[in-house]
Amino acid sequence: SSQKEEGEEYDAIVGKDPPHSTSAAGSAPQELERVNQYAVVKEIGHGSFGKVLMVRTQDSAGKVNGTFAMKKMDMTFLRKKMRGSGFGGGGGGGADEMVKREIATMKKLHHPNIARLVDVVDDEESRTIYVVSEFLPGGSLEEYRAAKPGGVLPLGELRVLLRQVACALNYLHTVVQIAHRDIKPENIMLNADNVAKLIDFGTAEVFTTNDDGSAMDLTSKTAGTPAFYAPEMCSIDIDEYEMLPTDMWALGVTVYQMAYGALPFKETGLMQLMEEIEQAQIDFPAFPEASKEDSQ
């Protein structure tokens, strides 16, 4: 079964050495909190799953030889949260399955525009899982956009970033047969050279293909961020929809936000937003002056 395969892949990547954590409390002043070989530098993000930490490794002489991002997930908290939401059949196992699926998915991915998985530390005593990936100091595409004049990206720069994300999606859809299911600016990070990298595979789904090579990507499950839903996801008359086109739609909404500095759909209530996505015509005004800069 797929759950058994995900569990086996998870077991294969998690380090066999017992995880250990030390705190700065009671230690020498310069001693940082550590998780195995990773010294915690600072918190760089926080989400519904837990914290994202900047961590580093050092050689025997104390010289830093690696900087990484570490997602810290409190499984006790996640299990309670997902049990309350009814995810995964209402049991705590839903959280474990989700995390194992995300890690098994990330292990398969090797692409220059997808964040690289480095390590996984499973601390059974504290019921905490640490997922270590490459450090992307440029922040999210949303943060990058918001800091630009007028809150929009120059069209030339947007074209470059769009090509990079499109290449990552093409790899997911055609090579490893994975639908991302939550494409949005917050899930596109930039490295030190402003190269775009897809992150967050917590809602990703693996699909198979028919004999003719076409995708068997039908689903009835809703996933992702409502403002980036495709119209077919919002219709009460559609029981199943294809996942791959919804990834492309979400990419289109992302491009719109980068170019105009706002989302194409304005409603704030969930039901009103879904009705607008399904029925409204998208407005494409003239590009803001700021977005025309560097547009060659």
Side-chain angles (χ1 to χ4, degrees):
S1 68
S2 61
Q3 287 186 9
K4 180 180 179 182
E5 292 172 356
E6 288 163 2
E8 291 172 348
E9 291 173 353
Y10 172 80
D11 292 338
I13 196 171
V14 174
K16 300 302 181 183
D17 295 332
H20 56 274
S21 175
T22 60
S23 173
S27 304
Q30 298 302 313
E31 181 67 17
L32 299 174
E33 178 186 355
R34 302 184 68 88
V35 178
N36 285 6
Q37 71 268 36
Y38 304 101
V40 177
V41 178
K42 61 181 179 180
E43 181 177 331
I44 56 176
H46 196 93
S48 58
F49 54 83
K51 299 178 180 179
V52 181
L53 308 169
M54 176 182 172
V55 299
R56 68 189 185 197
T57 56
Q58 298 173 310
D59 61 21
S60 57
K63 181 180 179 181
V64 175
N65 56 16
T67 302
F68 308 95
M70 173 184 280
K71 182 155 65 170
K72 178 181 179 180
M73 293 180 283
D74 181 335
M75 295 307 297
T76 299
F77 171 77
L78 277 179
R79 288 164 186 158
K80 289 179 179 177
K81 181 177 180 179
M82 298 184 78
R83 184 182 298 117
S85 67
F87 183 89
D96 298 82
E97 292 164 12
M98 181 191 73
V99 171
K100 288 185 177 182
R101 182 173 65 246
E102 179 177 6
I103 292 170
T105 299
M106 290 184 68
K107 184 186 175 186
K108 300 174 183 176
L109 306 178
H110 304 280
H111 190 275
N113 299 117
I114 295 176
R116 175 175 54 90
L117 177 67
V118 174
D119 193 8
V120 179
V121 180
D122 190 346
D123 189 342
E124 294 183 356
E125 183 176 343
S126 68
R127 298 178 181 175
T128 302
I129 294 177
Y130 304 87
V131 179
V132 184
S133 58
E134 67 175 304
F135 179 61
L136 300 169
S140 73
L141 187 56
E142 173 58 14
E143 294 169 322
Y144 187 68
R145 174 202 67 80
K148 288 286 188 176
V152 298
L153 293 187
L155 293 182
E157 193 171 358
L158 178 54
R159 290 189 185 103
V160 172
L161 293 171
L162 171 59
R163 282 195 294 268
Q164 293 170 355
V165 180
C167 285
L169 268 184
N170 181 65
Y171 167 80
L172 290 176
H173 292 177
T174 64
V175 178
V176 290
Q177 298 177 339
I178 291 172
H180 184 279
R181 310 211 67 203
D182 198 13
I183 300 294
K184 59 181 178 180
E186 291 85 351
N187 285 340
I188 300 168
M189 300 288 288
L190 302 175
N191 70 6
D193 298 317
N194 281 350
V195 174
K197 307 250 184 178
L198 269 180
I199 65 165
D200 198 345
F201 289 82
T203 57
E205 293 279 353
V206 179
F207 62 90
T208 56
T209 56
N210 294 302
D211 292 339
D212 62 1
S214 60
M216 296 176 62
D217 62 332
L218 284 176
T219 185
S220 59
K221 295 189 294 184
T222 302
T225 303
F228 296 82
Y229 282 179
E232 58 268 35
M233 299 173 68
C234 302
S235 174
I236 61 174
D237 299 319
I238 298 177
D239 295 325
E240 289 185 318
Y241 62 90
E242 296 171 295
M243 294 184 289
L244 304 192
T246 65
D247 271 357
M248 299 307 296
W249 174 276
L251 179 58
V253 176
T254 295
V255 172
Y256 187 105
Q257 186 178 22
M258 296 300 103
Y260 291 110
L263 290 164
F265 307 106
K266 314 301 183 185
E267 292 287 349
T268 54
L270 179 58
M271 296 308 297
Q272 294 85 351
L273 175 64
M274 295 179 73
E275 183 177 346
E276 183 185 13
I277 291 172
E278 184 185 9
Q279 299 179 7
Q281 293 292 318
I282 300 177
D283 181 28
F284 291 96
F287 287 119
E289 286 300 317
S291 72
K292 297 177 183 177
E293 300 172 8
D294 188 33
S295 61
Q296 65 273 13

